[in-house]
Amino acid sequence: MAIDPALHRLSVAPMLDWTDRHFRYLVRLCSRGVRLYTEMVTDRAILHGNRPRLLDFDPSEHPVALQLGGSDPALLAEAARIGQDWGYDEINLNLGCPSERVQGGGFGACLMKEPDLVAECFAAMREAVQLPVTAKHRLGVDDLEDYGYLARFVEKLASVGVEVFIVHARKAWLQGLSPKENREIPELRYGWVYRLKEDFPHLIFVLNGGVKTLDEAGAHLEHVDGVMLGRAVYEDPFVLEEADRRFFGLEHRPQRLQVAQAMIAYAEARLEEGVPLWSIARHMLNLFKGQRGGKRWRRYLSEHAIRPQAKAQVLWEALEQVTKTPTLRTIASLPKLEKPLQQCS
Ligand SMILES: Cc1cc2nc3c(=O)[nH]c(=O)nc-3n(C[C@H](O)[C@H](O)[C@H](O)COP(=O)(O)O)c2cc1C
């Protein structure tokens, strides 16, 4: 069944250690339409690890995709099936991570050198699940930086039924660059992603890499079906403030104070389950980025929420640091804080 390109218009990138379920919950409060991706989880971890810890998510996170790492068709198929049973909306395969550990495991970006094996992996996963199975890849790796090679790679995967390609618009160097450098140094070539869309108009292309604002995303959407933002959202979740109205036709416009209050209610529930406050609070540090009081908020959380026995009360105290600021109080026409909102309007 053909996938609706509108579902991919705007998404938040999979980011190891960052896009865990707590951060995804925060992002969902900021945008109801944006598509979410988990951190990469390896097929072996899913098969042998603590599945609830690796896979559980909040129902509000939908639509949410599970990103897998692996290169064994049978193991990936089994992991994809488990992901489907767990309730995910999409299975995505990581073909872009250049870290040494991932290369050592024979998956991630180095798989771009092995299109036949990658096609086998997709064929096995597609056989195992009814969900869309999508690819996230680079423009190339090492000396394989050639548009013709990239187009043949896409064509090969399309031949086994892959319809959605999330393209990090730079290549990866497998030797000599750290993962961080590999997200900064190789040149961004958005034109190659635009060209893929021209050459394969029936496939869905999502552009990723270096997009910082919704204006930039809007400009790319003139050429491709979707845009995926990563670091920009982590560094300032309110970069998504206008996303629902602009890209999804939804009337929702988040407010920082309400998002903070909803996160406090969420943290209280997770603390009851034994989750340390810092696991949640660390993702909230940038919630008031660029606002009056935002630095005090960040400082207060960094000092107090990190303590092992910290309670959700610390978040209320941090919020008080923000609301002290008269300017913000005026801007947000501050709602009463005694009663936490369960949901943001
Ligand atoms: C901390 C961090 C962790 C990442 N982990 C993953 C990952 O698990 N899987 C993946 O496909 N890409 C991962 N990436 C790459 C992002 O998904 C994205 O492709 C990259 O950051 C470029 O997009 P951006 O410029 O919008 O951040 C990670 C990036 C960062 C910053």
Side-chain angles (χ1 to χ4, degrees):
M1 202 169 61
I3 297 170
D4 179 0
L7 298 174
H8 288 272
R9 196 164 287 144
L10 195 72
S11 51
V12 177
M15 292 181 283
L16 217 50
D17 195 42
W18 287 6
T19 50
D20 63 13
R21 57 178 299 190
H22 309 310
F23 182 66
R24 297 195 308 264
Y25 190 89
L26 168 62
V27 174
R28 178 59 74 226
L29 291 167
C30 300
S31 164
R32 292 176 180 164
V34 76
R35 198 169 185 82
L36 302 176
Y37 286 76
T38 67
E39 311 167 85
M40 180 185 73
V41 191
T42 65
D43 48 10
R44 285 187 164 80
I46 291 178
L47 265 49
H48 308 298
N50 178 338
R51 284 186 201 161
R53 194 176 60 75
L54 293 166
L55 297 178
D56 276 357
F57 61 89
D58 189 271
S60 71
E61 287 179 43
H62 288 295
V64 56
L66 171 64
Q67 190 189 55
L68 295 178
S71 58
D72 179 309
L75 298 185
L76 281 171
E78 185 56 13
R81 196 190 52 69
I82 293 167
Q84 174 172 271
D85 291 348
W86 222 267
Y88 283 94
D89 300 295
E90 169 189 334
I91 304 295
N92 175 265
L93 184 63
N94 182 333
L95 304 167
C97 178
S99 85
E100 278 182 18
R101 193 178 61 81
V102 163
Q103 277 186 62
F107 55 99
C110 63
L111 282 177
M112 287 203 71
K113 291 181 175 174
E114 299 192 61
D116 292 338
L117 173 60
V118 177
E120 267 182 62
C121 292
F122 276 105
M125 288 189 286
R126 280 183 39 81
E127 178 78 23
V129 299
Q130 285 81 53
L131 296 178
V133 185
T134 64
K136 180 167 180 286
H137 59 94
R138 298 268 185 152
L139 298 184
V141 283
D142 297 338
D143 294 328
L144 282 177
E145 192 185 24
D146 166 48
Y147 179 79
Y149 183 85
L150 174 66
R152 284 193 298 279
F153 184 81
V154 163
E155 206 167 20
K156 178 86 200 174
L157 302 198
S159 76
V160 293
V162 180
E163 289 175 71
V164 180
F165 296 82
I166 303 166
V167 192
H168 184 174
R170 49 163 67 90
K171 76 164 179 178
W173 275 114
L174 296 181
Q175 306 294 330
L177 291 189
S178 70
K180 185 168 185 292
E181 289 168 330
N182 256 314
R183 291 191 289 266
E184 286 159 7
I185 294 175
E187 193 183 329
L188 283 163
R189 299 185 198 277
Y190 296 132
W192 286 28
V193 192
Y194 298 171
R195 193 169 157 196
L196 283 173
K197 182 64 196 176
E198 279 168 25
D199 290 347
F200 303 96
H202 57 293
L203 300 175
I204 295 171
F205 290 97
V206 176
L207 178 147
N208 167 245
V211 183
K212 293 196 174 61
T213 64
L214 295 188
D215 282 345
E216 289 175 23
H220 290 304
L221 284 171
E222 302 281 319
H223 305 274
V224 290
D225 303 286
V227 173
M228 174 180 266
L229 275 75
R231 289 164 288 186
V233 176
Y234 198 81
E235 285 157 15
D236 179 4
F238 262 67
V239 76
L240 296 174
E241 191 170 4
E242 294 290 338
D244 284 348
R245 298 193 328 173
R246 253 177 104 161
F247 298 118
F248 298 103
L250 298 170
E251 263 317 304
H252 174 236
R253 191 170 193 275
Q255 304 231 351
R256 284 181 177 79
L257 288 171
Q258 289 176 319
V259 169
Q261 288 177 320
M263 282 306 290
I264 295 174
Y266 173 80
E268 280 166 351
R270 297 287 84 75
L271 258 69
E272 293 274 307
E273 298 163 1
V275 175
L277 182 64
W278 185 243
S279 302
I280 300 164
R282 71 190 183 100
H283 297 308
M284 298 169 66
L285 294 173
N286 294 330
L287 185 53
F288 291 94
K289 177 88 169 259
Q291 304 295 299
R292 294 285 290 275
K295 286 194 177 133
R296 282 201 300 276
W297 158 268
R298 200 184 157 89
R299 198 177 320 120
Y300 196 88
L301 284 186
S302 308
E303 280 173 21
H304 297 86
I306 202 164
R307 296 182 182 158
Q309 301 307 323
K311 299 276 180 287
Q313 176 64 23
V314 170
L315 302 178
W316 287 114
E317 290 160 10
L319 203 51
E320 186 54 33
Q321 301 286 316
V322 177
T323 57
K324 256 182 211 163
T325 315
T327 316
L328 191 81
R329 192 173 298 181
T330 319
I331 292 171
S333 57
L334 191 63
K336 275 202 171 313
L337 293 182
E338 297 88 52
K339 229 168 114 206
L341 299 177
Q342 292 301 320
Q343 269 191 327
C344 89
S345 67

